[in-house]
Amino acid sequence: MPRKKLALIQFSRALVPLMVVTFHAAASVMYYFDFDFLGLSVYPLSGGVNYFFTLTGFMVFYIYYKKLAHREELRPYLLQRFIRIYPLYWILSFLWLMVIILLPAHFGVGHETEAATLWYSLLLLPSSQALDPILLVAWSLIHTVLFYAVFALLFLKQQRLIKGFFVIWMAGSLLYALGFIPGEQELVYFAFSQYNLMFAAGIASAWLVLRAPFPAGVGWLLTAAGLAGFPLTWANYHYEWLPLAFDLTTGAASVLLLLGLGSIDLRKDIYLPQALDYLGRAAFSIYLSHLVLLDIFSELFAALSLFDLLGGWVTTLLFILLSSAGGCLVYSYMERPLTSYLKKRLITKPAPLTNRSVQQPRTSAK
């Protein structure tokens, strides 16, 4: 039986870049033009990346749970995950590196062309020196690569040993988040980051909705609670109503949202307009390219004094629209054709030859 497409989950992928784009656009306008869009400058993050980490765990389990403990499925899994992240990331990184080399006074901060930065950045490896990758948003991909690598172990036969390792890893991450494991080193933080717990929560959410999805009505309530959790978290951070950690509340909101949307998708056949489905598919390109585009637009608007002409509100809304549209172009003309080509070359198996497809030798006429 083919895997059911999760239309609402697919569209929810767009929440991550749209939330992050909005907050980063507000930060850019604040930095360049001292305009505080919607008062967002007081918030450290949107929480969208926390949903991204939780969604990663949900989707990787939903897609591959029937293939776990089958070693022959490991190679296709690794190829698919590689194609999902690295090719587009490498192209955008090299393009941005060229811009930095050509215009260092406008876009460079000094370490992007150093060998250590290039090595860690292009391979998406954690750095003990806490070096920022060439594309700043790629810090989240470094954690994602770790998630994919650990999940890959579940394709092996030694399930008890691997599941035991997974439990120990989660316990260590929880103890580190609670402050019971000391250590300020970057690599210790990376290994036991709170983001690991979000990834595991996404896996648990997928397991739960696959096993017993909530009724559609409950699903809508969970979805509403999850959506409300993000603005409530922002308000709580600002007004300090309750002593709750930002990552804790946005992580909980992400789980509620996935439980709700996943249950609705599995209970009902949801059909979304093509534009919304497209936006969900373009989410990765929007996320990966938006900060670069915001930097370029900010420098351009500053050089041409366009902010003085248009004002803060119009400038910020244009930044959000243009960077999102630019990400959609990256998806249509770079990510989609590149991914399709690589999947055909590296993953798709050639159709077996049949008797009809083998040309029979001609016999000479008597």
Side-chain angles (χ1 to χ4, degrees):
M1 183 177 178
R3 187 177 66 247
K4 191 176 189 296
K5 180 180 179 181
L6 305 180
L8 292 177
I9 292 287
Q10 168 75 357
F11 171 65
S12 77
R13 293 179 57 205
L15 289 176
V16 176
L18 292 179
M19 288 171 62
V20 175
V21 166
T22 299
F23 273 70
H24 282 170
S28 295
V29 174
M30 184 67 183
Y31 178 80
Y32 276 88
F33 309 112
D34 197 30
F35 177 78
D36 190 3
F37 179 72
L38 295 175
L40 296 181
S41 64
V42 302
Y43 304 110
L45 299 167
S46 66
V49 174
N50 292 346
Y51 181 71
F52 167 74
F53 288 138
T54 313
L55 178 62
T56 298
F58 184 100
M59 289 306 302
V60 78
F61 184 83
Y62 180 75
I63 293 171
Y64 295 105
Y65 76 98
K66 291 184 178 179
K67 301 177 181 180
L68 300 182
H70 294 276
R71 191 186 183 97
E72 67 277 7
E73 298 291 345
L74 177 59
R75 182 178 180 273
Y77 163 80
L78 292 175
L79 285 173
Q80 288 168 348
R81 295 305 94 194
F82 172 84
I83 292 171
R84 177 76 181 91
I85 290 180
Y86 279 97
L88 179 65
Y89 169 68
W90 281 341
I91 291 174
L92 293 181
S93 292
F94 279 118
L95 290 175
W96 186 234
L97 187 61
M98 293 302 101
V99 173
I100 291 173
I101 292 173
L102 293 173
L103 300 169
H106 293 279
F107 300 109
V109 297
H111 68 82
E112 293 90 350
T113 58
E114 295 176 1
T117 299
L118 293 173
W119 171 259
Y120 287 108
S121 179
L122 294 178
L123 294 181
L124 291 173
L125 296 175
S127 167
S128 59
Q129 302 172 345
L131 295 174
D132 289 326
I134 297 170
L135 294 180
L136 290 179
V137 295
W139 71 267
S140 61
L141 298 184
I142 297 174
H143 290 275
T144 303
V145 169
L146 173 64
F147 301 157
Y148 288 157
V150 172
F151 192 84
L153 299 175
L154 295 175
F155 288 89
L156 304 179
K157 296 294 184 181
Q158 299 81 2
Q159 287 295 292
R160 286 188 178 181
L161 182 63
I162 293 166
K163 290 178 180 178
F165 165 78
F166 196 85
V167 169
I168 293 173
W169 183 45
M170 288 299 103
S173 300
L174 179 60
L175 291 174
Y176 187 83
L178 296 174
F180 291 106
I181 296 180
E184 297 295 332
Q185 293 185 350
E186 187 68 21
L187 294 182
V188 174
Y189 167 74
F190 172 76
F192 299 108
S193 166
Q194 71 271 21
Y195 303 127
N196 302 336
L197 300 173
M198 298 176 189
F199 175 66
I203 292 177
S205 300
W207 176 86
L208 181 59
V209 298
L210 283 168
R211 189 177 181 87
F214 293 98
V218 177
W220 286 115
L221 290 175
L222 291 172
T223 300
L227 288 173
F230 289 94
L232 287 175
T233 295
W234 305 333
N236 187 63
Y237 178 86
H238 181 61
Y239 295 107
E240 299 181 349
W241 296 325
L242 297 172
L244 297 174
F246 190 93
D247 286 332
L248 173 64
T249 51
T250 52
S254 299
V255 169
L256 292 175
L257 192 54
L258 285 172
L259 290 175
L261 294 177
S263 295
I264 298 167
D265 272 326
L266 290 175
R267 292 286 187 184
K268 292 181 173 293
D269 293 325
I270 304 295
Y271 300 97
L272 294 177
Q274 288 188 353
L276 298 183
D277 182 69
Y278 174 87
L279 197 59
R281 287 184 282 112
F284 182 62
S285 290
I286 297 173
Y287 176 74
L288 207 55
S289 63
H290 80 276
L291 201 56
V292 167
L293 294 173
L294 285 174
D295 285 346
I296 294 173
F297 294 144
S298 297
E299 290 287 341
L300 184 63
F301 271 55
L304 300 178
S305 300
L306 292 178
F307 178 84
D308 297 331
L309 176 65
L310 299 174
W313 275 84
V314 174
T315 297
T316 309
L317 293 175
L318 277 176
F319 278 13
I320 295 171
L321 178 62
L322 292 174
S323 56
S324 299
C328 290
L329 292 176
V330 170
Y331 169 72
S332 293
Y333 295 102
M334 294 178 67
E335 181 188 357
R336 182 166 59 183
L338 180 62
T339 300
S340 177
Y341 172 78
L342 291 175
K343 283 184 176 180
K344 289 179 181 177
R345 293 298 300 268
L346 300 178
I347 298 177
T348 304
K349 297 179 181 179
L353 292 176
T354 62
N355 291 335
R356 291 184 178 181
S357 64
V358 178
Q359 185 176 3
Q360 300 295 328
R362 295 181 179 180
T363 56
S364 57
K366 293 183 180 181

